[in-house]
Amino acid sequence: MSQQTVAVLGLGNMGGPMAANLAAAGYHVVGYDPVPAANEAAVARGVEVVPSAVEAVADASVVITMLPSGGHVIDAYKGPDGILAAAAPGTVFVDCSTIAVEDARAAAELAHEAGHRALDAPVSGGVGGAEAGTLTLMIGGSETDLDAVRPVLEVVSGRLVHCGESGAGQAAKICNNMILGISMIAVSEAFVLGERLGLSHQALFDVASTASGQCWALTTNCPVPGPVPTSPANRDYQPGFASPLMLKDLKLAMQAADSTSTEARIGALAAAIYTDFAFGPGRELDFSAVVQDIRDRSQSGD
Ligand code: NAD
């Protein structure tokens, strides 16, 4: 059987390891990224790198995009010089970037109009999950198109959830991350309140982790050092999931809340808190470091 060609556009923190895992699984992976360092790292891990996105998709039956924003995806897709025009008819375009639901729907429509198939497939699991090939993929698009690429996606994923039609994967992603942003602030406020009441971190953790306060922000990504030794708090809040990425997802959630007239007051407050934090002291830190900001503001009486 001839080797299947998969194009990967965007060889950054996430796309790089995903492409490497596909190459290791025996696919012919052709990659493109405008940043030379990303290309060099990919070549060292078995990816053939070409000088343009158009060349990358020319012989591919599956095109994975892992780009910073919806604008990047639409720009890459569109126009006479875009990748939709360059790909063979019937190519499956799988966008794994985190982008707005509206952009995901628009991207899928562009792909369908150009005679291709399309899925939105945002991921959760971070760089660790991308390296390990255990990402959770949230899929929007048709079951038939998903079945066509399932073996490819299973290389990068530990769990695939088909969420519905185009845009449903992105919808699931931003709803989940809105819960995450809100719950991290809630857990952090509870730890700071506990500190000020003379309660030890461990005592609060031992109670809340087995009581109704239990959540991922507490039991996996615990914002204070000690109770969960693998959480970023134990390594000076090195990400993990960096605060600017949490802010990005909360903004996408608020954009969706606005466009659907959804009452999401706590989500909006979480977005405001992460706007301050991600542009200020949290710029390079894991999103759980928001606990430090809450503590600092409590001490200064702000
Ligand atoms: P990154 O900035 O490390 O990588 C993005 C790459 O895309 C960069 O190398 C950039 O040069 C490249 N790029 C930009 N325009 C391009 C184009 N036209 N063609 C090809 N490549 C292009 O970002 P990342 O951390 O890999 O994140 C990628 C996406 O995954 C984002 O949408 C992000 O929100 C999402 N995501 C990230 C994480 C995470 O933990 N890093 C987790 C889940 C989802």
Side-chain angles (χ1 to χ4, degrees):
M1 209 176 83
S2 70
Q3 211 182 14
Q4 188 178 358
T5 298
V6 178
V8 180
L9 308 184
L11 300 168
N13 291 324
M14 299 293 288
M18 289 166 72
N21 284 334
L22 286 164
Y27 290 95
H28 174 216
V29 182
V30 186
Y32 167 72
D33 194 295
V35 172
N39 288 326
E40 283 157 27
V43 168
R45 299 180 72 179
V47 176
E48 179 190 342
V49 167
V50 291
S52 74
V54 163
E55 284 166 83
V57 305
D59 296 319
S61 54
V62 181
V63 175
I64 294 176
T65 39
M66 197 45 163
L67 301 175
S69 74
H72 288 88
V73 176
I74 304 272
D75 284 351
Y77 274 20
K78 253 192 352 198
D81 300 327
I83 54 176
L84 295 178
T91 299
V92 190
F93 282 81
V94 183
D95 180 39
C96 291
S97 329
T98 303
I99 68 175
V101 175
E102 289 162 19
D103 286 340
R105 290 183 181 144
E109 208 172 304
L110 286 169
H112 291 143
E113 281 167 7
H116 300 302
R117 297 177 281 172
L119 298 171
D120 48 294
V123 310
S124 120
V127 177
E131 286 289 351
T134 57
L135 294 167
T136 295
L137 262 62
M138 296 150 257
I139 312 282
S142 80
E143 189 86 49
T144 319
D145 291 353
L146 172 56
D147 285 342
V149 290
R150 197 179 282 276
V152 173
L153 299 185
E154 279 175 350
V155 171
V156 300
S157 165
R159 185 155 184 258
L160 287 169
V161 183
H162 186 214
C163 300
E165 291 305 311
S166 294
Q170 297 292 351
K173 166 86 185 172
I174 59 171
C175 288
N176 178 73
N177 280 20
M178 186 173 80
I179 297 173
L180 178 61
I182 292 169
S183 58
M184 181 54 80
I185 293 167
V187 168
S188 297
E189 288 185 353
F191 271 114
V192 174
L193 178 59
E195 287 167 10
R196 296 171 79 81
L197 294 171
L199 186 62
S200 75
H201 291 160
Q202 193 63 48
L204 176 54
F205 179 85
D206 289 345
V207 172
S209 63
T210 53
S212 43
Q214 191 276 331
C215 59
W216 188 93
L218 175 71
T219 57
T220 300
N221 217 78
C222 188
V224 294
V228 180
T230 49
S231 79
N234 299 282
R235 44 172 208 269
D236 295 327
Y237 297 96
Q238 289 316 298
F241 187 49
S243 299
L245 288 174
M246 172 48 79
L247 175 59
K248 173 190 168 181
D249 293 356
L250 285 169
K251 282 182 169 171
L252 291 174
M254 288 309 98
Q255 191 180 328
D258 276 351
S259 69
T260 54
S261 301
T262 303
E263 172 85 355
R265 278 185 283 173
I266 305 290
L269 196 50
I273 288 171
Y274 274 106
T275 300
D276 285 349
F277 187 58
F279 282 108
R283 194 174 298 126
E284 290 176 2
L285 300 180
D286 187 76
F287 78 119
S288 60
V290 75
V291 71
Q292 295 181 317
D293 200 44
I294 293 166
R295 189 181 292 120
D296 289 348
R297 286 169 189 265
S298 302
Q299 269 148 13
S300 67
D302 278 358

